[in-house]
Amino acid sequence: MAGQRTILHADMDAFYASVEQRDRPELRGRPVVVGGAPEARGVVAAASYEARAFGVRSALPMSRALRLCPEAVRVSPRFDRYGEVSRQVMAVFRSMTPLIEPLSLDEAFLDITMQTTAHGGAEAAARRLKAEVRRVTALNVSIGGGANKTVAKIASDAGKPDGLLIVAAGAERAFLAPLPIRALSGIGPKAEALLTAAGIRTIGELAEADAGQLERMFGSRGVQLREMARGIDQRPVEPVQERKSISAETTFAHDVVDGSDLRQELRRLADEAARRLRERRMRARTIVLKLRYSNFRTITRRATRAQPTDERDVIAGEAERLLDVVVEPGDRFRLIGVTCGHLSGLEASGQLSLWAPGDARATPAGDAKL
Ligand SMILES: [Mg+2]
C-alpha cells in the first residue's frame, strides 16, 4: 500500500533488574527487586521476572514487595549504570535508522519504513535488532511492529518477555479489538474507569463507540482515542536532536503530586528555558516534558509546533498540556523538566543544561538527552 509505514516499538525487558542480574551473576535466576529500602518507604522501580511471579510489580511499596517475596534480593538503583547501558541500546537502534524517538531510558519508537526492504521485511529487521542489542548488551529487548505507533507499542507489550510480534498491514483493527482498553497508551486508570462505567471494556468496543459520547467524556482527545482503537494513528516518529536543546529541570526534596506546586514549578522551568532561548536568540520547535515518578520511572513526552517559539506562555502551555495527558490521580513525582529542542537561530549548538537552584542530584546522563 502506498504511504504504508513500518514502525517498531522496542522495549527492554525488566530493564533495571536485568542490568543488575547481568552485572552480578549471583543474582541470575533469583527474584531481584530494584528500589529504595523499605525503612525509607522505598518503592519498587523494577522487578525481575522471577520476582514478578510472586506478584511483585513496579510502584509497589518495597515493604509490600518483600512480604510478597521474602527471598527477593533488594538492590538500590544505579542510574548512572542504566544511563550507560541506555546509550548503548539507543546507539544500536540508531544504527538501523536515524528516525528513533526515545520514550524513556529503555524504550523507543523506530521508523524503519525506508530500511524494511533492505532487511527483508519488518520481522527480519526486528530480529536483527534484537540480536544486535543482545550482542552489545547481553540483554533482551522486546519488539513490536506495525503500521503505526499505537499498534507497535501494544505489540511489544503483548510479546514480552523477549518478544517479537509484527502486526501485518490491514490486520491492525482485528489485532486490537479483543484487548482491554487499558492496553492503549492514552488510557490510564481515570479514563479506564470512565469508559468502563459507560460499558466500554475492550478496544473493539471503543472502536465502535459513539463519537459524541467520547467527545463529551474526553474532549477532542476522545475522537483520537477512537481512531487509535480502530488501528489508525498518523503520529510521526519524532527524533529529537538533543545536542541542540535547552533544558531546565528540578528534583524535588520530597515527592510532589499534581497540583499548584507542580504546575508552578513547571511554569518557572518554562520561564527559565524561554529566557535562555532569548538570550541566545534562538527559538524552539519541540517542547519536551520530562517526569520522574516516585518509583523512578522516567518518561519524556514531546509536542512539536509548526512555528518555533521563544515565548514563555507558549512553552508553559505546551508542557502543561503534555502533563495533562499523562498525569493520573495519585501520581507522585520526584523530578520535572522542560526541554526546548529543534532550535533555530544563532549558534544552536551544545547541550545547555540549566539546573534549578538547590538541585541536589544529577540526572542520569543520557536520560532525556537520548
Ligand atoms: Mg522496559
Side-chain angles (χ1 to χ4, degrees), residues 11-13 106 160:
D11 186 6
M12 303 296 286
D13 295 336
D106 72 315
K160 274 183 172 296

Side-chain angles (χ1 to χ4, degrees), residues 6 95-97 112-126 128:
T6 305
S95 70
M96 182 165 280
T97 171
I112 60 159
T113 306
M114 304 305 287
Q115 291 79 24
T116 306
T117 308
H119 286 288
E123 188 166 331
R128 172 170 297 196

Side-chain angles (χ1 to χ4, degrees), residues 30 55 68 72 77 103 122 127 162 177 197 201 246 252 257 309 356:
R30 299 182 62 187
L68 286 168
L103 299 171
R127 203 174 294 287
D162 200 17
R201 289 183 179 78
I246 283 184
F252 300 112
V257 294
T309 185

